[in-house]
Amino acid sequence: MQPPATPVHAAKGGGRRPFSQPVPPPLSAPPLAAPRLPGHAEPRLPVGREERGRRPAGGREGGLAGWLAAITPPEGLYPSRGPLRWHQPLPPRPAMSSAPPAAGFVSPFARPRCLAAAAPAGKAKLTHPGKAILAGGLAGGIEICITFPTEYVKTQLQLDEKANPPRYKGIVDCVRVTVRDHGIKGLYRGLSSLVYGSIPKAAVRFGMFEFLSNHMRDADGKLDSTRGLLAGLGAGVAEAVVVVCPMETIKVKFIHDQCSPNPKYRGFFHGVREIVREQGLKGTYQGLTATVLKQGSNQAIRFFVMTALRNWYKGDNPNKEINPLVTGIFGAFAGAASVFGNTPLDVVKTRMQGLEAHKYKSTLNCAYQIMKYEGLLAFYKGTIPRLGRVCLDVAIVFIIYDEVVKLLNKVWKTD
């Protein structure tokens, strides 16, 4: 039996040699000149096929230092495609083409949604304060005509103090007694004073909010929730001082007067004239501190929630349209948050604006007496009817406001 043959391969020149024989050393390259900066004469370097890729000078003989000296480019320069040739920095690479693949090729993988091409969102459109005033006034007037019965029931329950024998056993009993004694119209007693106040109240609120928020937005026109809270706080304080405090005082006095055995106010203007004649202009600003605290916190909470929900819904596109139904749901959430956040302030405000406000020395004294004689739960009297009213109120107002603004944007160009 013969031993296995030694493996061989083709050697250069047509001969065959075994693998065990050592490979002959490569040809040594002629020394090359060091690279020069632009503007200086460059040596002509070999670029032929045989010479390309040869080792630079200092290979085996110069060791590591020779290699580094030969392959390191001068500072600020980059190597060209030729061997050891240098030039100024290359121009930036062109952007990758977004053209569709060639015809006939179909990728078996679906393109990830996060990589899908989208149109640039652009800058958010701002609402002119004039549009906000007009749209807010219309929204406020329509809303109060829908929700006033719940406001009436809430106010009656808050005025029904425990210190006196209570007239009503609850929400249903309050509605039943009112309809029995005064008919369906009884649920709308005091509506005129609230209509006269709701239109300017909503106009001032939205006008001031848009004015403040337009100055708080970032470079892209976006408004974050924290700045929305501050803008809402400013809007609430403005509407409290300008509109809410005098109108709420008159409203509460009207409702309280109608509950007395012998009402003395024959109408809105007669009632205002009598209040100013007996108590002066100060009589229409009773409970101003409580009203400012209540309205400021109210609108701060509402606009904070609405801004946060809108930003979440719109994502990266600030000009994305919001369906009116979605706006109504967001408004209901904002209204519910404001109810649980400031109902105690609303109770104190209502007591300070009633016909028996003279019993309290100040807002703090009113809160102290309620806590002392009626307990902690008295601060949440009327929460359930107020919750239903406010959720419906805020939802309706924001829906109408947004739709009116969209209409005004078509006929009133302010860009």
Side-chain angles (χ1 to χ4, degrees):
M1 181 175 179
Q2 295 181 353
T6 304
V8 295
H9 68 85
K12 199 165 186 179
R16 299 172 65 87
R17 64 175 176 83
F19 276 113
S20 58
Q21 294 183 7
V23 179
L27 296 176
S28 58
L32 301 180
R36 298 176 181 272
L37 293 174
H40 296 268
E42 283 190 350
R44 295 182 59 84
L45 299 179
V47 295
R49 179 179 301 178
E50 294 80 7
E51 302 295 334
R52 188 186 306 274
R54 286 186 172 183
R55 295 179 182 177
R60 291 187 177 180
E61 296 79 6
L64 180 61
W67 276 97
L68 292 178
I71 66 174
T72 303
E75 185 176 356
L77 302 179
Y78 297 88
S80 68
R81 300 183 66 179
L84 301 177
R85 301 178 76 88
W86 315 101
H87 58 79
Q88 290 294 341
L90 294 172
R93 296 179 61 184
M96 294 184 65
S97 174
S98 59
F105 174 78
V106 178
S107 173
F109 304 103
R111 184 172 178 80
R113 184 174 295 180
C114 61
L115 299 179
K123 188 175 180 179
K125 297 180 180 178
L126 305 183
T127 301
H128 191 277
K131 296 179 183 178
I133 291 174
L134 182 56
L138 290 174
I142 296 172
E143 169 270 324
I144 197 59
C145 293
I146 298 174
T147 62
F148 183 80
T150 58
E151 173 70 14
Y152 176 86
V153 172
K154 180 213 68 168
T155 305
Q156 289 283 27
L157 290 177
Q158 289 180 347
L159 293 173
D160 191 24
E161 299 180 18
K162 287 186 179 179
N164 300 324
R167 286 186 64 188
Y168 309 115
K169 299 177 182 178
I171 301 172
V172 177
D173 184 64
C174 178
V175 175
R176 184 182 59 81
V177 171
T178 302
V179 174
R180 183 194 64 193
D181 296 342
H182 305 283
I184 296 295
K185 288 184 178 180
L187 295 174
Y188 285 90
R189 288 185 299 173
L191 174 63
S192 59
S193 63
L194 214 57
V195 167
Y196 298 144
S198 291
I199 294 177
K201 177 175 72 172
V204 171
R205 177 198 311 158
F206 284 101
M208 181 59 69
F209 175 79
E210 295 295 348
F211 173 78
L212 294 175
S213 64
N214 287 350
H215 289 80
M216 293 182 178
R217 298 177 184 270
D218 59 18
D220 295 327
K222 294 182 180 180
L223 181 71
D224 60 36
S225 54
T226 302
R227 294 180 181 180
L229 183 144
L230 295 176
L233 178 63
V237 172
E239 71 171 346
V241 174
V242 177
V243 180
V244 176
C245 189
M247 298 309 299
E248 286 284 304
T249 302
I250 294 171
K251 179 205 73 174
V252 173
K253 290 183 182 297
F254 265 54
I255 294 177
H256 212 162
D257 176 69
Q258 294 297 321
C259 296
S260 61
N262 299 311
K264 59 180 181 179
Y265 301 144
R266 296 191 296 271
F268 175 76
F269 294 104
H270 176 262
V272 172
R273 186 169 65 249
E274 289 297 313
I275 292 172
V276 174
R277 184 178 64 82
E278 295 175 2
Q279 305 175 24
L281 189 61
K282 182 181 178 181
T284 62
Y285 274 91
Q286 291 177 336
L288 176 61
T289 303
T291 303
V292 168
L293 292 175
K294 184 243 180 182
Q295 290 301 123
S297 61
N298 213 13
Q299 302 309 324
I301 293 172
R302 291 180 187 178
F303 281 107
F304 171 80
V305 175
M306 282 298 296
T307 303
L309 292 175
R310 280 173 167 170
N311 289 343
W312 167 78
Y313 183 83
K314 291 182 177 182
D316 295 331
N317 184 6
N319 294 317
K320 181 180 179 181
E321 295 286 343
I322 301 181
N323 186 280
L325 179 61
V326 176
T327 301
I329 294 174
F330 289 170
F333 274 108
S338 66
V339 167
F340 290 110
N342 71 352
T343 291
L345 291 172
D346 186 60
V347 172
V348 173
K349 174 193 72 72
T350 302
R351 296 287 182 88
M352 289 294 295
Q353 293 172 339
L355 295 178
E356 297 181 356
H358 61 276
K359 297 193 309 182
Y360 310 113
K361 298 178 183 179
S362 64
T363 301
L364 291 177
N365 180 258
C366 176
Y368 172 77
Q369 291 197 35
I370 294 174
M371 183 70 177
K372 180 178 180 180
Y373 296 109
E374 303 177 43
L376 182 62
L377 292 179
F379 286 105
Y380 287 91
K381 251 183 144 178
T383 299
I384 301 302
R386 184 174 181 238
L387 182 64
R389 181 193 69 83
V390 170
C391 289
L392 185 61
D393 167 11
V394 179
I396 292 174
V397 166
F398 275 107
I399 290 175
I400 298 176
Y401 173 78
D402 284 359
E403 295 306 308
V404 173
V405 168
K406 291 177 185 177
L407 179 62
L408 290 176
N409 286 336
K410 298 178 180 179
V411 298
W412 182 3
K413 302 297 182 182
T414 56
D415 297 339

